[in-house]
């Protein structure tokens, strides 16, 4: 079987847009109806079916599963090529969209993310594993950019290589560690590691050996999200009791003794914000799980 590159597959898809077939024209009409219906949300499964016909030579269905993921917090979408447990071959493709990052953003962001990941799925089908091991290492090489630019021009979309939802991503990085070594004074990270999951910095991180050699400091957790109701219920009575705080003590605390008209008194003042989250950049680049 001859080798097909991303560029070859992109050109084949572009060729189908020169003169639309009857099925493609029907899909285009359906897409335009959806995009102009004024609704704040969109059915990604219905839209994906139309895009499959319009832009991807009807190759994506039924092989690609489109899913919403509540656990995807570092990227807006991801396309995974995985092994089929029945055939033991890498033929399963899952296109996942981030519920946390996209649910409150304009639906155009969902549509552009859907098309972005659909391009990856198309290349997985036409070029197999060679796509994820492209020259740029991320699957966003010349073939991806060629097809993304063509779709952007054809449908007035805004498919980009990377998303810009940095504030949303950072809001889910609620587990924070601070290093006590020299790197705590070095920009741009100042020894801070922020993650969306409770995974302490360690040997599994690609940068760990360099940190050990150049800094050698120890990471201490300084911030974590409040436990969920389910986690609190799973705690022992002793653990729950240890979490109880006097409400007045939470708002006020005694100040040093002051002399007033010859009398000694305790002055109460509002408590300082001792539990404020540490600010700073995350410890690495945006994760591209498989390709995203």
């Amino acid at each position: 079987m001859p080798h097909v590159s991303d560029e070859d597959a992109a050109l084949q898809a572009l060729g189908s847009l020169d003169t639309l077939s009857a099925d493609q024209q029907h899909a285009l009409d359906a897409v335009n109806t959806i995009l102009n219906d004024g609704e704040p949300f969109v059915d990604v499964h219905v839209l994906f079916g139309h895009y499959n016909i319009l832009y991807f030579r009807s190759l994506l269905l039924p092989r690609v599963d489109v899913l919403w993921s509540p656990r995807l917090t570092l990227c807006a979408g991801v396309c995974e090529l995985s092994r089929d447990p029945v055939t033991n071959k890498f033929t399963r493709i899952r296109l996942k969209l981030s519920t946390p990052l996209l649910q409150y953003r304009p639906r155009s962001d969902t549509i552009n993310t859907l098309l972005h990941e659909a391009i990856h799925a198309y290349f997985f089908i036409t070029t197999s594993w060679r796509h994820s091991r492209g020259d740029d290492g991320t699957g966003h090489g010349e073939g991806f950019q060629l097809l993304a630019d063509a779709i952007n021009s054809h449908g007035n979309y805004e498919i980009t290589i990377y998303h810009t939802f940095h504030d949303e991503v950072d809001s889910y990085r609620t587990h924070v560690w601070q290093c006590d070594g020299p790197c705590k004074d070095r920009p741009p990270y100042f020894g801070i590691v922020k993650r969306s999951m409770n995974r302490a910095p360690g040997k599994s991180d690609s940068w760990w050996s360099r940190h050990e050699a150049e800094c050698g400091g120890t990471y201490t957790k300084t911030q974590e999200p409040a436990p969920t109701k389910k986690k609190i219920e799973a705690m022992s009575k002793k653990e729950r009791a240890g979490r109880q705080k006097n409400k007045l003590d939470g708002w006020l605390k005694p100040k040093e003794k002051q002399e007033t008209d010859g009398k000694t008194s305790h002055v109460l003042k509002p408590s300082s914000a001792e539990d404020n989250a540490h600010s700073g950049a995350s410890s690495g680049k945006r994760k591209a799980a498989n390709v995203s």
Side-chain angles (χ1 to χ4, degrees):
M1 183 176 179
H3 165 64
V4 178
S5 67
D6 284 3
E7 293 91 321
D8 295 333
L11 290 173
Q12 291 173 3
L14 266 59
S16 69
L17 295 177
D18 291 339
T19 302
L20 298 183
S21 67
D23 288 340
Q24 284 178 299
Q25 186 60 54
H26 177 75
L28 177 60
D29 293 341
V31 167
N32 288 335
T33 298
I34 293 172
L35 298 185
N36 294 300
D37 62 10
E39 295 294 329
F41 305 105
V42 63
D43 188 327
V44 294
H45 299 91
V46 172
L47 200 55
F48 184 78
H50 296 315
Y51 285 143
N52 173 49
I53 297 172
L54 179 58
Y55 293 128
F56 303 108
R57 302 162 56 203
S58 299
L59 296 178
L60 304 187
L61 293 175
R63 189 168 168 182
V64 180
D65 293 325
V66 178
L67 310 167
W68 283 101
S69 172
R71 301 184 64 183
L72 198 59
T73 58
L74 297 186
C75 49
V78 63
C79 187
E80 300 176 337
L81 178 64
S82 58
R83 191 187 301 273
D84 190 313
V86 177
T87 63
N88 203 35
K89 296 180 179 180
F90 283 91
T91 56
R92 297 184 65 182
I93 300 175
R94 291 180 179 178
L95 191 163
K96 297 180 180 179
L97 300 174
S98 170
T99 302
L101 298 187
L102 293 171
Q103 62 182 338
Y104 298 123
R105 294 192 65 87
R107 73 172 188 171
S108 59
D109 290 331
T110 297
I111 293 170
N112 289 321
T113 302
L114 178 68
L115 283 167
H116 177 119
E117 303 306 334
I119 294 174
H120 285 305
Y122 171 73
F123 287 137
F124 274 141
I125 290 173
T126 54
T127 72
S128 189
W129 57 267
R130 296 182 184 86
H131 170 55
S132 60
R133 301 183 184 184
D135 292 338
D136 73 335
T138 68
H140 299 113
E142 292 184 9
F144 181 95
Q145 296 175 43
L146 182 63
L147 185 50
D149 288 345
I151 295 175
N152 284 340
S153 298
H154 185 269
N156 197 30
Y157 298 104
E158 295 182 4
I159 306 168
T160 58
I161 292 179
Y162 298 111
H163 72 69
T164 56
F165 313 154
H166 304 305
D167 291 339
E168 289 86 344
V169 169
D170 201 53
S171 70
Y172 287 98
R173 286 175 169 157
T174 52
H175 296 275
V176 183
W177 291 264
Q178 174 71 63
C179 180
D180 61 4
C183 74
K184 71 179 185 298
D185 298 317
R186 298 172 186 164
Y189 307 125
F190 296 99
I192 295 175
V193 173
K194 302 170 72 176
R195 287 177 172 161
S196 60
M197 63 178 65
N198 189 18
R199 184 175 65 82
K203 294 181 179 179
S204 61
D205 293 298
S206 60
W207 48 267
W208 182 254
S209 59
R210 186 175 70 254
H211 176 267
E212 289 281 88
E214 298 177 359
C215 176
T218 301
Y219 280 96
T220 302
K221 195 167 191 181
T222 59
Q223 180 183 326
E224 63 183 9
T228 62
K229 181 179 179 181
K230 185 177 181 180
K231 288 183 178 180
I232 293 176
E233 291 174 347
M235 292 179 180
S236 66
K237 290 183 178 180
K238 184 177 181 180
E239 288 174 324
R240 284 200 294 266
R243 290 181 50 79
Q244 299 300 317
K245 294 182 180 179
N246 184 290
K247 291 185 178 179
L248 181 60
D249 291 343
W251 283 95
L252 305 169
K253 68 179 182 181
K255 192 180 178 182
E256 61 276 9
K257 292 183 179 181
Q258 296 184 354
E259 294 292 332
T260 306
D261 296 332
K263 297 180 181 180
T264 301
S265 63
H266 287 285
V267 179
L268 297 177
K269 69 175 183 178
S271 174
S272 63
E274 297 174 349
D275 296 327
N276 282 351
H278 292 277
S279 61
S282 63
S283 63
K285 296 181 179 179
R286 170 182 174 272
K287 178 182 178 182
N290 293 328
V291 288
S292 55

